[in-house]
């Protein structure tokens, strides 16, 4: 992965047809998705249960872009090697998931993946200052993690603005996860984000047999951001 700050849309397969993941991924990539976002939830750290390493390994051959795996699990460290072996390009762990996040980030990079760090809406950015040289991506949750389709939390805009200043010229992506629509996306790109995770906002109105709406939805988000740039 070559670093660049151009706007990237990362559709969350949590909003895709679970019975047809391979075809959904191929369709949404063909319609302009930049990354594919995989939400891993354990029913413990967050109140939902989704996918594990075998599913990630199964969909990996269908992903031609970037496999962006968001680990909403605790503990994280015992599962890093399995998700890396399943083909993740980026592994993102939550700051709140354990007491030794520096070790976790080391392990992710040691497994050959880009290291991401996610922050819940109630978490400040002070604790990540000494981790900036360990991360390739910071994911700011703009909903409380655990479910798709939640309402965007506007207080996170200022967090992203401050985070962007803290990062400076370091090659670190700022990813936004939760409530992204053509209305909220420009607020985040203006604040400094460059990766937008979108679930229902991308997949609504389309299907494997009718994928054109996926492209229309992706272009609508990007156009809204370009208009406000």
């Amino acid at each position: 992965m070559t670093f660049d700050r151009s706007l990237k849309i990362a559709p969350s397969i949590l909003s895709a047809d679970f019975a047809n993941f391979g075809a959904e991924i191929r369709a949404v990539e063909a319609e302009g998705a930049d990354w594919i976002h995989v939400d891993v939830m354990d029913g413990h750290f967050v109140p939902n249960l989704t996918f594990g390493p075998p599913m990630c390994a199964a969909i990996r051959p269908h992903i031609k872009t970037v496999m962006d795996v968001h680990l909403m699990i605790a503990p994280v460290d015992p599962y890093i090697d399995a998700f890396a072996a399943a083909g993740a390009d980026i592994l993102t762990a939550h700051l709140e998931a354990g007491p030794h996040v520096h070790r976790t980030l080391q392990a992710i990079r040691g497994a050959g993946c880009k290291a991401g760090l996610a922050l819940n809406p109630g978490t400040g950015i002070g604790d990540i200052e000494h981790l900036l040289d360990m991360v390739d991506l910071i994911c700011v949750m703009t909903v409380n993690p655990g479910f798709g389709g939640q309402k965007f939390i506007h207080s996170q805009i200022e967090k992203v603005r401050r985070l962007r200043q803290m990062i400076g010229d370091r090659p670190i992506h700022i990813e936004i996860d939760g409530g992204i629509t053509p209305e909220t996306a420009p607020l985040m790109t203006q604040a400094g984000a460059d990766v937008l995770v979108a679930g229902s906002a991308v997949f609504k109105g389309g299907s494997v047999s009718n994928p054109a709406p996926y492209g229309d939805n992706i272009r609508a988000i990007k156009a809204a951001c370009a208009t406000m740039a």
Side-chain angles (χ1 to χ4, degrees):
M1 291 174 56
T2 302
F3 180 83
D4 72 86
R5 291 199 194 281
S6 63
L7 177 60
K8 288 162 280 293
I9 305 298
S12 168
I13 62 169
L14 200 61
S15 295
D17 176 1
F18 278 30
N20 222 356
F21 271 150
E24 286 276 51
I25 288 165
R26 295 193 300 273
V28 79
E29 285 190 336
E31 291 293 333
D34 299 287
W35 293 4
I36 297 296
H37 189 81
V38 183
D39 289 300
V40 175
M41 306 182 191
D42 64 0
H44 164 70
F45 179 68
V46 292
N48 203 351
L49 187 63
T50 58
F51 322 118
M55 200 285 294
C56 290
I59 65 173
R60 175 71 256 194
H62 301 276
I63 298 174
K64 306 305 180 192
T65 57
V66 171
M67 187 174 181
D68 175 31
V69 178
H70 180 187
L71 300 176
M72 287 171 269
I73 66 176
V76 178
D77 294 10
Y79 302 99
I80 289 171
D81 287 345
F83 281 104
D89 294 301
I90 304 167
L91 275 179
T92 296
H94 270 257
L95 178 67
E96 306 88 358
H100 304 295
V101 67
H102 189 282
R103 179 188 298 157
T104 299
L105 295 170
Q106 281 182 318
I108 291 171
R109 284 188 163 181
C113 299
K114 297 289 187 182
L117 184 64
L119 305 175
N120 285 338
T123 300
I125 63 174
D127 289 340
I128 68 171
E129 185 174 358
H130 298 292
L131 299 169
L132 289 177
D133 293 329
M134 298 291 300
V135 299
D136 302 288
L137 175 147
I138 297 172
C139 175
V140 176
M141 297 299 300
T142 42
V143 299
N144 284 294
F147 296 97
Q150 295 185 73
K151 189 174 173 61
F152 180 87
I153 299 173
H154 280 77
S155 63
Q156 303 307 294
I157 299 170
E158 180 59 26
K159 181 191 288 186
V160 171
R161 190 172 289 117
R162 290 172 51 216
L163 185 59
R164 185 68 194 84
Q165 292 172 345
M166 182 185 287
I167 287 171
D169 60 0
R170 294 176 178 87
I172 299 173
H173 295 292
I174 299 179
E175 179 176 76
I176 306 302
D177 189 352
I180 288 296
T181 66
E183 291 70 43
T184 59
L187 303 175
M188 285 317 211
T189 55
Q190 282 183 312
D194 62 290
V195 183
L196 303 178
V197 176
S200 53
V202 166
F203 285 99
K204 67 180 180 183
S207 65
V208 167
S209 59
N210 178 34
Y214 298 165
D216 294 339
N217 295 337
I218 290 169
R219 286 187 291 274
I221 294 170
K222 288 191 170 184
C225 295
T227 301
M228 296 287 285

